[in-house]
Amino acid sequence: MKVLKFGGSSVGSSETIKQVVDIIRTTRVDGPCSVVLSAMQGTTDSLIEAGRSAERGDDGYIEILSNIGERHVTTIRELFNDGDRFAISDFVETTVKELENLCEGVRLIRELSSKTLDRILSFGEIVASKIVSAKLAADGIENEWKDSRLLIRTDSTHGFATVDFVETNKRIKDHFVASSAGVHIFPGFISSDSAGYTTTLGRGGSDYTAAIIAAAIDADVLEIWTDVSGMMSADPRFVRNVRQISNITYREAMELSHFGAKVIYPPTIQPVMAKGIPILVKNTFEPENHGTLIESESAAKTEMIRGITSIDKITVLSLEGSGMVGIPGFSKRLFDALSRASINVILITQSSSEHSICVAIEDKHANEAKQAVDREFEYEIAVGRIDPLGVENGFSILALVGHNMKEHTGVSGK
Ligand code: ADP
Ligand code: ASP
Ligand code: MG
């Protein structure tokens, strides 16, 4: 079975949804398939904005939600005949009402917990996937919609939940054994914890949903359908003369995505890589383009550098001091302190003198990091063995990625 994931731009309007339906129709001819859908482009950002506005105590959320509702209703009007429209329109209206009630609750208590935010965000993926499912049915393509929250079990880290793969794989397999559908439709991004509360898999997480499903059912291929014709040698938003990468290894693709190639959400690659399932990145708006094939051994091995990526809004933390030299345990304590504060470390360097350790984190965590680390080393700082944590922000990380780089000298010099 193939697993196809369509991103926000692919379901961004009635026109693009028609293209998605065409791609599913063509795929279905060769056998059953599973389809994972994101929210309509921009919806998740708008839902966050609605929640934040309610939290501030203003009623701006009413207009934001009304715009979200209007956009979905217009899309439905453009997609369906009068006769086919009723159930799905009704669903969208009821959903927007429910969202309004949720936001009204947030406004009254002036508090938006990450748990409530996840619940609010879930509507984007649910509604978009329901619309696609209804459109397929109206076009005579039988399909079954299933709420991914009943399949993907996570911990309760709202906003960035960790998947319980044992339970999740079991549920997904059971679902596919019980269902005889030819086309399976799932909302991406959303999951639930053991108490049944909605959780989400991190921004861009619909890619991950598709990978989790593909790995659980040993799919033949995972297809990521987006608005570019595959992975490019650099970010097309910043670089004009980018090249399309035809073949790339899992590890190279993982590096590129980890260091900023937004086209694939970084956690996506691991589950399919473990099963040896190839990933094909394809363009919904240019389906005939071959796209990028990600697999274990890449055909095109000659290039030294496969791609260049960057991430900005980076803070560099430096822990320095003469008291660190030769004394074991400093790095452990540094990383423990960051980990307890739930701060993700993106890059690490240590000088050979052991006099300093530098780590790169996201700018938004800079203050928390400073507090956590200075607290951890309070005693050492007080007696002058190490300096208070150095914090410099506004950096970028530039990454050159390529499996063959290790065979060549002078790459970084060049
Ligand atoms: P979707 O909504 O389909 O998930 P995303 O916006 O998450 O799509 O990812 C696709 C976007 O990723 C592209 O439009 C492109 O601007 C951006 N991007 C950044 N780096 C790269 C890269 N190296 N190759 C391809 N696309 C990239
Ligand atoms: N809609 C979610 C987001 O914008 C998930 C996704 O698009 O993959 O982050
Ligand atoms: Mg994406």
Side-chain angles (χ1 to χ4, degrees):
M1 173 163 332
K2 286 184 176 179
V3 177
L4 286 69
K5 178 263 172 177
F6 292 91
S9 52
S10 302
V11 291
S13 69
S14 57
E15 281 314 305
T16 64
I17 291 176
K18 285 179 193 160
Q19 315 232 39
V20 168
V21 167
D22 281 344
I23 293 165
I24 298 171
R25 184 185 292 113
T26 310
T27 307
R28 173 70 185 101
V29 172
D30 296 331
C33 62
S34 293
V35 180
V36 173
L37 296 143
S38 289
M40 290 181 84
Q41 195 168 36
T43 305
T44 308
D45 289 335
S46 299
L47 288 169
I48 294 174
E49 189 40 42
R52 295 270 172 247
S53 120
E55 185 186 35
R56 285 193 302 271
D58 71 54
D59 57 9
Y61 72 88
I62 296 175
E63 195 185 336
I64 300 172
L65 294 181
S66 143
N67 289 341
I68 294 176
E70 187 51 40
R71 180 173 176 206
H72 285 84
V73 167
T74 305
T75 306
I76 290 168
R77 205 178 304 123
E78 291 165 0
L79 280 174
F80 295 89
N81 300 325
D82 291 349
D84 297 327
R85 190 184 298 158
F86 181 73
I88 184 70
S89 300
D90 200 44
F91 178 76
V92 169
E93 272 160 32
T94 314
T95 301
V96 172
K97 262 264 140 318
E98 211 178 308
L99 270 173
E100 273 172 16
N101 292 339
L102 260 173
C103 285
E104 176 60 9
V106 169
R107 192 184 68 83
L108 289 173
I109 57 169
R110 298 278 174 98
E111 188 187 305
L112 178 64
S113 66
S114 48
K115 188 171 169 183
T116 305
L117 183 61
D118 272 353
R119 173 120 181 82
I120 293 175
L121 295 189
S122 68
F123 288 96
E125 265 64 18
I126 295 206
V127 172
S129 59
K130 284 268 189 185
I131 292 177
V132 171
S133 169
K135 177 63 183 163
L136 286 166
D139 285 7
I141 304 167
E142 274 181 49
N143 69 91
E144 184 182 326
W145 182 90
K146 179 78 181 176
D147 190 337
S148 312
R149 289 176 293 189
L150 301 176
L151 302 180
I152 301 180
R153 162 70 69 84
T154 65
D155 68 1
S156 305
T157 314
H158 291 280
F160 196 70
T162 300
V163 177
D164 169 353
F165 276 97
V166 175
E167 183 61 26
T168 299
N169 288 340
K170 184 183 166 306
R171 286 174 182 223
I172 295 174
K173 281 187 186 133
D174 289 350
H175 170 71
F176 278 87
V177 167
S179 167
S180 58
V183 177
H184 302 260
I185 304 288
F186 304 97
F189 183 51
I190 56 174
S191 39
S192 66
D193 68 7
S194 57
Y197 288 106
T198 299
T199 53
T200 54
L201 300 171
R203 294 303 308 271
S206 294
D207 296 344
Y208 193 32
T209 305
I212 294 165
I213 293 174
I217 61 170
D218 286 301
D220 300 315
V221 62
L222 166 62
E223 296 184 355
I224 303 287
W225 289 83
T226 182
D227 59 355
V228 277
S229 297
M231 292 193 98
M232 305 289 156
S233 54
D235 189 334
R237 289 168 299 180
F238 304 131
V239 182
R240 215 177 315 120
N241 56 342
V242 292
R243 229 167 5 87
Q244 181 182 341
I245 302 171
S246 319
N247 297 76
I248 188 169
T249 65
Y250 290 119
R251 290 197 180 282
E252 289 170 326
M254 216 186 250
E255 292 281 300
L256 282 175
S257 70
H258 183 73
F259 285 112
K262 185 180 172 241
V263 61
I264 291 192
Y265 179 53
T268 306
I269 297 169
Q270 205 285 324
V272 282
M273 180 174 82
K275 289 284 185 85
I277 300 167
I279 306 174
L280 193 55
V281 183
K282 295 274 287 177
N283 189 343
T284 302
F285 311 107
E286 203 193 333
E288 56 293 344
N289 189 303
H290 57 75
T292 297
L293 180 64
I294 308 174
E295 52 184 352
S296 45
E297 276 307 315
S298 166
K301 277 190 189 148
T302 47
E303 295 154 319
M304 183 167 61
I305 292 172
R306 199 71 85 169
I308 303 177
T309 47
S310 65
I311 3 179
D312 51 15
K313 301 198 179 81
I314 293 293
T315 286
V316 175
L317 309 176
S318 319
L319 190 67
E320 290 181 34
S322 53
M324 283 169 56
V325 181
I327 301 173
F330 271 99
S331 350
K332 176 179 184 297
R333 286 173 59 197
L334 169 66
F335 292 114
D336 274 350
L338 292 172
S339 152
R340 281 195 305 273
S342 301
I343 296 168
N344 185 33
V345 172
I346 303 170
L347 189 119
I348 307 163
T349 68
Q350 180 172 25
S351 67
S352 52
S353 72
E354 296 185 50
H355 190 76
S356 70
I357 307 174
C358 289
V359 301
I361 61 168
E362 288 176 80
D363 274 348
K364 65 179 182 200
H365 296 309
N367 290 339
E368 290 160 82
K370 170 82 178 150
Q371 278 171 21
V373 175
D374 282 351
R375 199 180 317 121
E376 172 66 35
F377 293 103
E378 203 173 359
Y379 170 74
E380 287 82 357
I381 293 170
V383 299
R385 282 167 66 187
I386 65 167
D387 304 331
L389 186 73
V391 179
E392 293 169 278
N393 48 28
F395 281 86
S396 296
I397 296 177
L398 192 63
L400 293 190
V401 176
H403 198 65
N404 282 333
M405 266 163 57
K406 64 173 186 276
E407 320 283 336
H408 293 81
T409 47
V411 177
S412 47
K414 186 175 176 187

